[in-house]
Amino acid sequence: MALIINEDCTACDACVEPCPNQAITAGNPIYVIDPVKCTECVGAHDEPQCITVCPADCIVPDPNHAESREELEAKFKMLHG
C-alpha cells in the first residue's frame, strides 16, 4: 500500500531526502507522495523512512492503494533495475 501525506503536513521538507524512490515532492500547500513510486521503502529499508523522520506524524497508509509486500518489492525492482 502506498503512503499519503495528510493535511497535518507542515511542509517542513524532512521527508523528501530520505525517500529512496524520489516519490515525495512539494505540492500546494502540502507535500505529496506519488503512489507509482512509493514502495514504503520495501527493498531499501526495514520501515518507511518518511514516517520515521516526519515531525508532524502526517504520513499514513493510503487505503486506496493496497499492495502486498511482493508487489512493493517488484515495484522497487522496476524503479531501480
Side-chain angles (χ1 to χ4, degrees):
M1 156 177 324
L3 301 171
I4 57 171
I5 299 175
N6 67 32
E7 66 278 351
D8 293 335
C9 177
T10 61
C12 70
D13 199 45
C15 59
V16 175
E17 190 175 326
C19 179
N21 304 321
Q22 299 177 347
I24 304 173
T25 55
N28 187 14
I30 63 174
Y31 280 68
V32 293
I33 299 176
D34 181 346
V36 174
K37 293 181 177 180
C38 180
T39 64
E40 296 183 36
C41 291
V42 169
H45 301 284
D46 292 333
E47 60 188 354
Q49 297 301 289
C50 58
I51 292 175
T52 302
V53 300
C54 179
D57 294 326
C58 64
I59 303 172
V60 296
D62 181 354
N64 297 318
H65 288 97
E67 296 171 291
S68 68
R69 180 167 184 85
E70 291 78 21
E71 290 171 317
L72 293 170
E73 287 172 350
K75 188 190 311 186
F76 182 83
K77 288 178 184 176
M78 180 191 73
L79 290 168
H80 296 278

Coordinates of all heavy atoms in Angstrom, one line a residue:
M1 N 0.8 -1.2 0.0 CA 0.0 0.0 0.0 C 0.9 1.2 0.0 O 1.9 1.3 0.7 CB -0.9 -0.1 1.2 CG -1.4 1.2 1.7 SD -2.6 1.0 3.1 CE -3.5 -0.5 2.8
A2 N 0.6 2.2 -0.8 CA 1.4 3.4 -0.9 C 1.0 4.2 0.4 O 0.0 4.0 1.0 CB 1.1 4.2 -2.1
L3 N 1.8 5.3 0.6 CA 1.5 6.2 1.7 C 1.0 7.5 1.2 O 1.2 7.8 0.0 CB 2.8 6.4 2.5 CG 3.5 5.2 3.0 CD1 4.9 5.5 3.6 CD2 2.6 4.5 4.1
I4 N 0.3 8.2 2.0 CA -0.1 9.6 1.7 C 0.3 10.5 2.8 O 0.5 10.1 3.9 CB -1.7 9.6 1.4 CG1 -2.5 9.2 2.6 CG2 -2.1 8.9 0.2 CD1 -4.0 9.4 2.6
I5 N 0.3 11.8 2.4 CA 0.6 12.8 3.4 C -0.8 13.6 3.6 O -1.4 14.1 2.7 CB 1.7 13.8 2.9 CG1 2.9 13.0 2.7 CG2 1.9 14.9 3.9 CD1 4.1 13.8 2.1
N6 N -1.2 13.7 4.9 CA -2.5 14.3 5.2 C -2.3 15.8 5.4 O -1.2 16.3 5.4 CB -3.2 13.6 6.3 CG -2.6 13.7 7.6 OD1 -1.9 14.7 8.0 ND2 -2.7 12.6 8.4
E7 N -3.4 16.4 5.7 CA -3.5 17.9 5.9 C -2.7 18.4 7.1 O -2.5 19.6 7.3 CB -4.9 18.4 6.0 CG -5.7 17.9 7.2 CD -6.3 16.5 7.0 OE1 -6.2 15.9 5.9 OE2 -6.7 15.9 8.1
D8 N -2.2 17.5 8.0 CA -1.4 18.0 9.1 C 0.1 18.3 8.7 O 0.8 18.8 9.5 CB -1.3 16.9 10.2 CG -2.7 16.6 10.8 OD1 -3.5 17.6 10.8 OD2 -2.9 15.5 11.3
C9 N 0.4 18.1 7.4 CA 1.7 18.4 6.9 C 2.1 19.9 7.1 O 1.3 20.8 6.8 CB 1.8 18.1 5.4 SG 3.4 18.5 4.6
T10 N 3.3 20.1 7.6 CA 3.8 21.5 7.8 C 4.7 21.9 6.7 O 5.3 23.0 6.8 CB 4.5 21.6 9.1 OG1 5.6 20.7 9.1 CG2 3.6 21.3 10.3
A11 N 4.9 21.1 5.7 CA 5.8 21.4 4.5 C 7.2 21.7 5.0 O 7.9 22.5 4.5 CB 5.2 22.5 3.7
C12 N 7.7 20.9 5.9 CA 9.0 21.1 6.5 C 10.1 20.5 5.7 O 11.3 20.8 5.9 CB 9.1 20.4 7.9 SG 9.1 18.6 7.9
D13 N 9.8 19.7 4.7 CA 10.8 19.1 3.8 C 11.6 17.9 4.3 O 12.5 17.4 3.6 CB 11.7 20.2 3.3 CG 12.5 19.9 2.0 OD1 11.8 19.4 1.1 OD2 13.7 20.2 2.0
A14 N 11.3 17.5 5.5 CA 12.1 16.4 6.2 C 12.0 15.1 5.5 O 12.9 14.3 5.5 CB 11.7 16.3 7.6
C15 N 10.9 14.9 4.8 CA 10.6 13.5 4.2 C 11.2 13.3 2.8 O 11.3 12.2 2.4 CB 9.1 13.3 4.1 SG 8.2 14.6 3.2
V16 N 11.6 14.4 2.2 CA 12.0 14.3 0.8 C 13.3 13.5 0.6 O 13.4 12.6 -0.2 CB 12.1 15.7 0.1 CG1 12.6 15.6 -1.3 CG2 10.7 16.4 0.1
E17 N 14.3 13.9 1.3 CA 15.6 13.3 1.1 C 15.7 11.9 1.5 O 16.4 11.1 0.8 CB 16.7 14.1 1.8 CG 18.1 13.7 1.5 CD 19.2 14.6 2.1 OE1 19.0 15.8 2.3 OE2 20.2 14.0 2.5
P18 N 15.1 11.4 2.6 CA 15.2 10.0 2.9 C 14.5 9.0 2.0 O 14.8 7.8 2.1 CB 14.6 9.9 4.3 CG 14.4 11.3 4.8 CD 14.4 12.2 3.6
C19 N 13.6 9.5 1.1 CA 12.9 8.6 0.2 C 13.8 8.0 -0.8 O 14.3 8.7 -1.6 CB 11.7 9.4 -0.4 SG 10.8 8.3 -1.5
P20 N 14.0 6.7 -0.8 CA 14.9 6.1 -1.8 C 14.3 6.1 -3.2 O 15.1 5.8 -4.2 CB 15.0 4.6 -1.3 CG 13.7 4.4 -0.6 CD 13.3 5.7 0.1
N21 N 13.1 6.4 -3.4 CA 12.4 6.3 -4.7 C 12.1 7.7 -5.3 O 11.5 7.8 -6.3 CB 11.2 5.5 -4.6 CG 11.4 4.1 -4.1 OD1 12.4 3.5 -4.4 ND2 10.5 3.6 -3.3
Q22 N 12.5 8.8 -4.6 CA 12.1 10.1 -5.0 C 10.6 10.2 -5.3 O 10.2 10.9 -6.3 CB 13.0 10.5 -6.2 CG 14.4 10.5 -6.0 CD 15.3 10.8 -7.2 OE1 14.8 10.8 -8.3 NE2 16.5 11.1 -6.9
A23 N 9.8 9.7 -4.4 CA 8.4 9.7 -4.5 C 7.7 10.9 -3.9 O 6.5 11.1 -4.1 CB 7.8 8.4 -3.9
I24 N 8.4 11.7 -3.2 CA 7.8 12.8 -2.4 C 8.2 14.1 -3.1 O 9.4 14.4 -3.3 CB 8.2 12.7 -0.9 CG1 7.8 11.4 -0.3 CG2 7.6 13.9 -0.2 CD1 8.3 11.2 1.1
T25 N 7.2 14.9 -3.4 CA 7.5 16.2 -3.9 C 6.7 17.3 -3.3 O 5.6 17.0 -2.6 CB 7.2 16.2 -5.5 OG1 5.8 15.8 -5.7 CG2 8.1 15.3 -6.2
A26 N 7.1 18.5 -3.4 CA 6.3 19.7 -2.9 C 5.0 19.8 -3.7 O 5.0 19.8 -4.9 CB 7.2 20.9 -3.0
G27 N 4.0 19.9 -2.9 CA 2.7 20.2 -3.5 C 2.2 21.6 -3.1 O 3.0 22.4 -2.6
N28 N 1.0 21.9 -3.3 CA 0.5 23.2 -2.9 C -0.8 23.0 -2.1 O -1.8 22.6 -2.7 CB 0.2 24.0 -4.1 CG -0.2 25.5 -3.8 OD1 0.0 25.9 -2.6 ND2 -0.7 26.2 -4.7
P29 N -0.8 23.1 -0.8 CA 0.2 23.6 0.1 C 1.1 22.6 0.7 O 2.0 22.9 1.4 CB -0.6 24.4 1.1 CG -1.8 23.6 1.3 CD -2.1 23.0 -0.1
I30 N 0.7 21.3 0.6 CA 1.4 20.2 1.4 C 2.2 19.3 0.4 O 1.9 19.3 -0.8 CB 0.5 19.4 2.3 CG1 -0.5 18.6 1.4 CG2 -0.2 20.3 3.3 CD1 -1.4 17.7 2.2
Y31 N 3.1 18.6 0.9 CA 3.9 17.6 0.1 C 3.0 16.5 -0.3 O 1.9 16.2 0.3 CB 5.1 17.1 0.9 CG 6.2 18.1 0.9 CD1 6.1 19.3 1.5 CD2 7.4 17.8 0.2 CE1 7.1 20.2 1.5 CE2 8.4 18.7 0.1 CZ 8.3 19.9 0.8 OH 9.3 20.8 0.7
V32 N 3.3 15.8 -1.4 CA 2.6 14.7 -1.9 C 3.5 13.5 -2.2 O 4.7 13.7 -2.5 CB 1.8 15.1 -3.2 CG1 0.7 16.1 -2.9 CG2 2.7 15.6 -4.3
I33 N 2.9 12.3 -2.2 CA 3.6 11.1 -2.5 C 3.0 10.4 -3.7 O 1.8 10.2 -3.8 CB 3.6 10.1 -1.3 CG1 4.2 10.7 0.0 CG2 4.3 8.8 -1.6 CD1 4.1 9.8 1.2
D34 N 3.9 10.2 -4.7 CA 3.5 9.5 -5.9 C 3.3 8.0 -5.7 O 4.3 7.3 -5.4 CB 4.6 9.7 -7.0 CG 4.2 9.1 -8.3 OD1 3.3 8.3 -8.4 OD2 4.9 9.5 -9.3
P35 N 2.0 7.5 -5.8 CA 1.8 6.1 -5.4 C 2.5 5.2 -6.4 O 2.7 4.0 -6.1 CB 0.3 6.0 -5.5 CG -0.2 7.1 -6.4 CD 0.8 8.2 -6.1
V36 N 2.8 5.6 -7.6 CA 3.6 4.8 -8.6 C 5.0 4.5 -8.1 O 5.6 3.5 -8.4 CB 3.5 5.4 -10.0 CG1 4.4 4.7 -11.0 CG2 2.1 5.6 -10.5
K37 N 5.6 5.5 -7.4 CA 6.9 5.4 -6.9 C 7.1 4.9 -5.5 O 8.1 4.5 -5.1 CB 7.7 6.7 -7.0 CG 7.9 7.2 -8.5 CD 8.6 8.5 -8.5 CE 8.9 9.0 -9.9 NZ 9.6 10.2 -9.9
C38 N 6.0 5.0 -4.7 CA 6.1 4.7 -3.3 C 6.1 3.2 -3.1 O 5.2 2.5 -3.5 CB 5.0 5.3 -2.5 SG 5.0 4.9 -0.7
T39 N 7.1 2.6 -2.4 CA 7.2 1.2 -2.1 C 7.2 1.0 -0.6 O 7.6 -0.1 -0.1 CB 8.5 0.6 -2.7 OG1 9.6 1.2 -2.1 CG2 8.5 0.7 -4.2
E40 N 6.9 2.1 0.2 CA 7.0 2.1 1.6 C 8.4 1.6 2.1 O 8.6 1.0 3.1 CB 5.9 1.2 2.2 CG 4.5 1.6 2.0 CD 3.5 0.8 2.7 OE1 3.7 0.3 3.8 OE2 2.4 0.6 2.1
C41 N 9.4 1.9 1.3 CA 10.8 1.6 1.5 C 11.1 0.1 1.4 O 12.2 -0.3 1.7 CB 11.3 2.2 2.8 SG 11.5 4.0 2.6
V42 N 10.1 -0.7 1.0 CA 10.4 -2.1 0.8 C 11.5 -2.2 -0.3 O 11.4 -1.6 -1.3 CB 9.1 -2.9 0.4 CG1 9.5 -4.3 -0.1 CG2 8.1 -2.9 1.6
G43 N 12.5 -3.0 0.0 CA 13.6 -3.1 -1.0 C 14.8 -2.3 -0.6 O 15.9 -2.5 -1.1
A44 N 14.6 -1.3 0.2 CA 15.6 -0.4 0.6 C 15.9 -0.3 2.1 O 17.0 -0.2 2.6 CB 15.3 1.0 0.1
H45 N 14.8 -0.3 2.9 CA 14.9 -0.2 4.4 C 13.8 -1.1 5.0 O 12.9 -1.6 4.4 CB 14.6 1.3 4.8 CG 15.6 2.2 4.2 ND1 16.9 2.4 4.6 CD2 15.4 3.1 3.1 CE1 17.5 3.3 3.9 NE2 16.6 3.8 3.0
D46 N 13.9 -1.2 6.3 CA 13.0 -2.1 7.1 C 11.7 -1.4 7.4 O 10.7 -2.0 7.7 CB 13.6 -2.5 8.4 CG 14.8 -3.5 8.2 OD1 14.8 -4.2 7.2 OD2 15.7 -3.5 9.1
E47 N 11.7 0.0 7.3 CA 10.5 0.7 7.6 C 10.5 2.0 6.7 O 11.5 2.4 6.3 CB 10.3 1.1 9.0 CG 11.5 1.9 9.6 CD 11.4 2.1 11.1 OE1 10.4 1.6 11.7 OE2 12.3 2.6 11.6
P48 N 9.3 2.6 6.5 CA 9.2 3.8 5.7 C 10.0 4.9 6.3 O 9.7 5.3 7.4 CB 7.7 4.1 5.6 CG 7.0 2.8 5.8 CD 8.0 2.1 6.8
Q49 N 11.0 5.4 5.6 CA 11.9 6.4 6.1 C 11.1 7.8 6.3 O 11.4 8.5 7.2 CB 13.1 6.6 5.3 CG 14.0 5.4 5.2 CD 14.5 4.9 6.6 OE1 15.3 5.6 7.2 NE2 13.9 3.8 7.1
C50 N 10.2 8.1 5.5 CA 9.4 9.3 5.6 C 8.7 9.4 6.9 O 8.6 10.4 7.5 CB 8.5 9.5 4.4 SG 7.3 8.2 4.1
I51 N 8.1 8.3 7.3 CA 7.3 8.2 8.5 C 8.3 8.4 9.7 O 8.0 9.1 10.7 CB 6.6 6.9 8.7 CG1 5.4 6.8 7.7 CG2 6.0 6.7 10.1 CD1 4.7 5.5 7.6
T52 N 9.5 7.8 9.6 CA 10.5 7.9 10.7 C 10.9 9.3 11.0 O 11.1 9.7 12.1 CB 11.7 7.0 10.3 OG1 11.3 5.7 10.1 CG2 12.7 7.1 11.4
V53 N 11.0 10.1 9.9 CA 11.6 11.5 10.1 C 10.5 12.6 10.2 O 10.8 13.7 10.5 CB 12.6 11.9 8.9 CG1 13.7 10.9 8.9 CG2 11.9 11.9 7.6
C54 N 9.3 12.2 9.9 CA 8.2 13.3 9.9 C 7.9 13.8 11.3 O 7.4 13.0 12.1 CB 6.9 12.7 9.3 SG 5.6 13.9 9.2
P55 N 8.1 15.1 11.5 CA 7.8 15.6 12.9 C 6.3 15.8 13.1 O 5.9 16.0 14.3 CB 8.6 16.9 12.9 CG 8.7 17.4 11.5 CD 8.8 16.1 10.7
A56 N 5.5 15.9 12.1 CA 4.1 16.1 12.2 C 3.3 14.9 12.2 O 2.0 15.0 12.4 CB 3.6 17.0 11.1
D57 N 3.9 13.7 12.1 CA 3.2 12.4 12.0 C 2.0 12.5 11.0 O 0.9 12.0 11.3 CB 2.7 12.0 13.4 CG 3.8 11.7 14.4 OD1 4.8 11.2 13.9 OD2 3.6 12.1 15.6
C58 N 2.2 13.0 9.9 CA 1.2 13.2 8.9 C 1.2 12.2 7.7 O 0.4 12.3 6.8 CB 1.2 14.7 8.4 SG 2.7 15.1 7.4
I59 N 2.1 11.3 7.8 CA 2.3 10.3 6.7 C 1.6 9.0 7.1 O 2.0 8.4 8.1 CB 3.7 10.1 6.3 CG1 4.3 11.5 5.9 CG2 3.8 9.1 5.1 CD1 5.8 11.4 5.7
V60 N 0.6 8.6 6.4 CA -0.2 7.4 6.8 C -0.5 6.5 5.5 O -0.3 6.9 4.4 CB -1.6 7.9 7.3 CG1 -1.4 8.7 8.6 CG2 -2.4 8.7 6.3
P61 N -0.9 5.3 5.8 CA -1.2 4.4 4.7 C -2.4 4.9 3.8 O -3.3 5.5 4.4 CB -1.6 3.1 5.3 CG -0.9 3.1 6.7 CD -0.9 4.6 7.1
D62 N -2.3 4.7 2.5 CA -3.4 5.1 1.6 C -4.3 3.9 1.4 O -3.9 3.0 0.7 CB -2.8 5.7 0.3 CG -3.8 6.1 -0.7 OD1 -5.0 6.0 -0.4 OD2 -3.4 6.7 -1.7
P63 N -5.5 3.9 1.9 CA -6.4 2.8 1.8 C -6.8 2.5 0.3 O -7.3 1.5 0.0 CB -7.6 3.1 2.6 CG -7.5 4.6 2.8 CD -6.1 5.0 2.7
N64 N -6.6 3.5 -0.6 CA -6.9 3.4 -2.0 C -5.9 2.7 -2.8 O -6.1 2.5 -4.0 CB -7.3 4.7 -2.6 CG -8.5 5.4 -1.9 OD1 -9.5 4.7 -1.6 ND2 -8.4 6.6 -1.6
H65 N -4.7 2.4 -2.2 CA -3.6 1.8 -3.0 C -3.0 0.6 -2.2 O -1.9 0.6 -1.8 CB -2.5 2.8 -3.3 CG -2.9 3.8 -4.3 ND1 -3.4 5.1 -4.0 CD2 -2.9 3.7 -5.7 CE1 -3.6 5.7 -5.1 NE2 -3.3 4.9 -6.1
A66 N -3.8 -0.4 -1.9 CA -3.4 -1.6 -1.2 C -2.5 -2.4 -2.1 O -2.9 -2.7 -3.2 CB -4.6 -2.4 -0.7
E67 N -1.3 -2.7 -1.6 CA -0.3 -3.6 -2.3 C 0.3 -4.5 -1.3 O 0.6 -4.2 -0.2 CB 0.7 -2.7 -2.9 CG 0.2 -1.8 -4.0 CD 1.3 -0.8 -4.5 OE1 1.7 0.1 -3.7 OE2 1.7 -0.9 -5.6
S68 N 0.6 -5.7 -1.8 CA 1.2 -6.7 -0.9 C 2.7 -6.4 -0.9 O 3.3 -5.6 -1.7 CB 1.1 -8.1 -1.5 OG 1.8 -8.2 -2.8
R69 N 3.4 -7.1 0.0 CA 4.9 -6.9 0.1 C 5.5 -7.3 -1.2 O 6.5 -6.7 -1.7 CB 5.4 -7.7 1.3 CG 7.0 -7.5 1.4 CD 7.5 -8.0 2.8 NE 8.9 -7.8 2.9 CZ 9.4 -6.6 3.3 NH1 8.6 -5.6 3.7 NH2 10.7 -6.5 3.4
E70 N 5.0 -8.4 -1.8 CA 5.6 -8.8 -3.1 C 5.4 -7.8 -4.2 O 6.3 -7.6 -5.0 CB 5.0 -10.2 -3.5 CG 5.3 -11.3 -2.6 CD 4.6 -11.4 -1.3 OE1 3.5 -10.7 -1.2 OE2 5.1 -12.0 -0.3
E71 N 4.3 -7.1 -4.2 CA 4.0 -6.1 -5.2 C 5.0 -4.9 -5.0 O 5.5 -4.3 -5.9 CB 2.6 -5.6 -5.2 CG 1.6 -6.7 -5.7 CD 0.2 -6.3 -5.5 OE1 -0.2 -5.9 -4.3 OE2 -0.6 -6.5 -6.4
L72 N 5.2 -4.5 -3.7 CA 6.1 -3.4 -3.4 C 7.5 -3.8 -3.8 O 8.2 -2.9 -4.3 CB 6.0 -3.1 -1.9 CG 4.6 -2.5 -1.4 CD1 4.6 -2.4 0.1 CD2 4.3 -1.2 -2.1
E73 N 7.9 -5.0 -3.5 CA 9.3 -5.4 -3.9 C 9.4 -5.4 -5.4 O 10.5 -4.9 -5.9 CB 9.6 -6.8 -3.4 CG 9.8 -6.9 -1.9 CD 9.9 -8.3 -1.4 OE1 9.6 -9.3 -2.1 OE2 10.2 -8.5 -0.2
A74 N 8.4 -5.8 -6.2 CA 8.5 -5.8 -7.6 C 8.6 -4.3 -8.1 O 9.3 -4.0 -9.1 CB 7.3 -6.5 -8.2
K75 N 7.8 -3.5 -7.5 CA 7.8 -2.1 -7.9 C 9.2 -1.5 -7.6 O 9.7 -0.7 -8.5 CB 6.8 -1.3 -7.1 CG 6.6 0.2 -7.6 CD 5.7 1.0 -6.7 CE 4.4 0.5 -6.3 NZ 3.6 1.5 -5.5
F76 N 9.8 -1.8 -6.5 CA 11.1 -1.3 -6.2 C 12.2 -1.8 -7.2 O 13.0 -1.0 -7.7 CB 11.6 -1.7 -4.8 CG 12.9 -1.2 -4.4 CD1 13.1 0.1 -3.9 CD2 14.1 -2.0 -4.6 CE1 14.3 0.6 -3.5 CE2 15.3 -1.5 -4.2 CZ 15.4 -0.2 -3.7
K77 N 12.1 -3.0 -7.6 CA 13.0 -3.6 -8.6 C 12.8 -2.9 -10.0 O 13.7 -2.6 -10.7 CB 12.8 -5.1 -8.8 CG 13.4 -5.8 -7.6 CD 13.2 -7.3 -7.7 CE 13.7 -8.0 -6.4 NZ 13.4 -9.4 -6.4
M78 N 11.5 -2.6 -10.3 CA 11.2 -1.9 -11.6 C 11.8 -0.5 -11.6 O 12.4 0.0 -12.6 CB 9.7 -1.8 -11.8 CG 9.3 -1.1 -13.1 SD 7.5 -0.8 -13.1 CE 7.4 0.6 -12.0
L79 N 11.7 0.2 -10.4 CA 12.2 1.6 -10.3 C 13.8 1.6 -10.3 O 14.3 2.6 -10.8 CB 11.7 2.2 -9.0 CG 10.2 2.5 -9.0 CD1 9.8 2.9 -7.6 CD2 9.9 3.7 -10.0
H80 N 14.4 0.6 -9.8 CA 15.8 0.6 -9.6 C 16.6 -0.4 -10.4 O 17.8 -0.5 -10.3 CB 16.2 0.4 -8.1 CG 15.6 1.5 -7.3 ND1 16.3 2.7 -7.1 CD2 14.5 1.6 -6.5 CE1 15.6 3.5 -6.3 NE2 14.5 2.9 -6.0
G81 N 15.9 -1.1 -11.3 CA 16.6 -2.0 -12.2 C 17.1 -3.2 -11.6 O 17.8 -3.9 -11.2

